[in-house]
Amino acid sequence: MRPVIIAANWKMNTTPADAGELARTIAGRTREADVVRVICPPSVCLAAVRDAVVGEGIGVGAQNVHHELAGAYTGEVSAPMLAGLATWVILGHSERRRDAGETDALIGRKLGRAVEAGLRPILCVGELLDEREAGRAVDVVRAQLAGALAGHDPDTLRAAGLVIAYEPVWAIGTGRTASGADASAMADAIRAALRDAGWGSAADDVPVLYGGSATSGNIAEFLAEPAIDGALVGGASLKPDEMAGMVGRAAITAAARRAADA
Ligand code: 13P
C-alpha cells in the first residue's frame, strides 16, 4: 500500500521570523491520521520549521542540495549540512532546471548525495507546454527519469523512499492544472519507465505525486486517481486553510486505501 503524501514547497517565501508560526498553524490544522505531511521551507527557515513541528509527525525537507559534499561552492548547501535540519529533499524542481541550469545528470549526482545523507528524495519531472502540445510529454519525462536515475541502484533508491513528483511546467503557478486522467497516465508512464530501468515490480511501490496549481478545490481530482499518491504544492501550501483542505481530502484517500488493504 503506497502512502498518501501532501508536500509543501514554500519556494522562496517566508523568513526565519515567520516560518515557524506558519508551520505550527499548518501542523495544528492537518492532524488527520495516515497522511504523510512534509514542509519544505527555504534553507534558512529549516531550523525554525523543525522546531515548530516537533512532535507533530511532519517531515521537514530542503528544496535542493549541492552535488558535492563540501568545498569552494559559494552560497551552496550540501547534503551532510542538512543533518538535523531536514529528512526530505526536493530535487530537480523545474524552477532550478530553468534558473540554475540543472541537468538530469547533475540532478542524478544530487540524488546520490541525498541518499548517502539519509534524505528522502522527491525527484521532480515534467514537460514544457510546447513539449506537451507536440505530443512529447511522456518522452520528455522518461528522458528526465533515465538521466537522473542512471547509475543508481533501484534497491538503494527504493530503500531511501524515493518519491517522484510529476509537475508539468505549464501548470506551475499558472492556475492551470493537468487533468486527473493525464496526471494518472503520466504516473503510469513513470512506473513503466522505472520497470524498464530494472526496477521490476518495485516500481509499483514508488509514490508519484502531482504538482502544478494544486489547491483544496482541485486536489480531489488527483486523489481520485489510484496511480496518484498526493501532491507537491507550491502557492497553496503557504495558506493554512488550503493545507487543511488538501490534507483533509488526502485523509479520505488514505483511509480508503487502508480499508482496501485490510
Ligand atoms: P504551484 O502549486 O504554486 O503551482 O507550484 C507547484 C510546484 O512547483 C511545487 O513544487
Side-chain angles (χ1 to χ4, degrees):
M1 187 181 90
R2 293 193 303 264
V4 180
I5 302 170
I6 300 292
N9 175 7
W10 285 359
K11 307 191 178 184
M12 198 171 72
N13 296 290
T14 71
T15 68
D18 59 33
E21 181 64 29
L22 179 59
R24 203 172 299 115
T25 304
I26 289 171
R29 298 201 48 200
T30 58
R31 289 209 179 103
E32 283 84 355
D34 288 340
V35 179
V36 176
R37 297 163 297 163
V38 185
I39 297 178
C40 303
S43 56
V44 294
C45 299
L46 284 168
V49 170
R50 173 202 61 195
D51 293 348
V53 301
V54 168
E56 291 282 1
I58 291 184
V60 179
Q63 298 174 11
N64 177 38
V65 290
H66 198 263
H67 58 279
E68 294 291 357
L69 292 173
Y73 302 100
T74 302
E76 297 290 346
V77 175
S78 71
M81 292 175 190
L82 293 170
L85 289 170
T87 55
W88 294 67
V89 64
I90 297 170
L91 297 173
H93 193 280
S94 64
E95 287 152 13
R96 295 203 54 82
R97 294 174 187 262
R98 179 194 69 200
D99 299 337
E102 290 191 5
T103 62
D104 295 316
L106 187 81
I107 293 161
R109 293 177 68 188
K110 290 169 183 264
L111 181 61
R113 294 304 184 197
V115 170
E116 282 163 20
L119 296 164
R120 186 167 183 183
I122 303 176
L123 173 63
C124 301
V125 293
E127 80 286 356
L128 302 170
L129 184 58
D130 61 339
E131 293 167 336
R132 173 153 290 268
E133 287 175 343
R136 294 178 45 230
V138 167
D139 289 345
V140 167
V141 167
R142 286 184 74 99
Q144 289 172 336
L145 281 175
L149 300 182
H152 290 288
D153 172 34
D155 290 341
T156 304
L157 293 184
R158 187 171 166 230
L162 176 70
V163 174
I164 308 284
Y166 168 55
E167 300 206 309
V169 178
W170 47 272
I172 295 177
T174 59
R176 198 176 156 192
T177 64
S179 67
D182 283 348
S184 174
M186 188 61 86
D188 289 345
I190 287 168
R191 294 197 179 95
L194 293 176
R195 270 192 293 277
D196 290 352
W199 285 62
S201 61
D204 294 326
D205 299 335
V206 176
V208 176
L209 311 183
Y210 168 76
S213 298
T215 65
S216 62
N218 60 34
I219 192 86
E221 178 172 356
F222 300 101
L223 289 170
E225 299 290 343
I228 303 284
D229 303 308
L232 179 59
V233 187
S237 75
L238 292 157
K239 299 177 184 157
D241 285 351
E242 285 290 315
M243 283 298 285
M246 288 185 281
V247 174
R249 178 58 187 77
I252 295 172
T253 295
R257 287 186 180 189
R258 185 167 292 279
D261 199 47

